[in-house]
């Protein structure tokens, strides 16, 4: 049943939420057109297959605007 992998669904949902939050922040600051971010990739082995996904998005460490790159 699905309850056996409910923990994985929750982790995937958390990663998606982090990415959506970051996208919202970028949309809120149209002066920035690019960002370099750090993120955590979680890896699991299940049934002989490798599952990798972004599970945590850290704040941007560089932001780009018309003036070039700057460190945040």
């Amino acid at each position: 049943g699905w309850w056996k992998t409910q923990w994985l669904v929750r982790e995937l949902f958390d990663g998606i939420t982090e990415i959506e939050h970051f996208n919202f922040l970028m949309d809120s600051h149209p002066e920035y057109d690019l960002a370099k971010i750090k993120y955590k990739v979680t890896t699991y082995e299940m049934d002989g297959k490798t599952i990798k996904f972004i599970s945590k998005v850290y704040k941007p460490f560089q932001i780009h605007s018309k003036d070039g790159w700057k460190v945040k």
Side-chain angles (χ1 to χ4, degrees):
W2 64 271
W3 63 90
K4 292 181 183 179
T5 56
Q6 185 176 6
W7 58 271
L8 180 58
V9 170
R10 184 70 198 156
E11 286 191 35
L12 288 167
F13 180 78
D14 289 347
I16 290 167
T17 302
E18 291 271 342
I19 292 168
E20 287 176 342
H21 179 73
F22 178 74
N23 284 338
F24 175 77
L25 289 174
M26 287 297 290
D27 287 345
S28 299
H29 295 279
E31 67 272 23
Y32 301 129
D33 58 357
L34 294 171
K36 292 181 182 179
I37 61 171
K38 292 183 181 182
Y39 56 89
K40 177 183 173 187
V41 174
T42 298
T43 303
Y44 290 109
E45 298 288 331
M46 293 183 68
D47 300 326
K49 296 179 182 176
T50 301
I51 301 168
K52 292 183 180 184
F53 57 92
I54 294 173
S55 56
K56 177 76 177 162
V57 176
Y58 303 102
K59 72 179 191 173
F61 65 92
Q62 285 187 331
I63 297 289
H64 187 270
S65 69
K66 63 181 169 78
D67 298 325
W69 287 100
K70 69 178 180 179
V71 176
K72 284 299 269 180

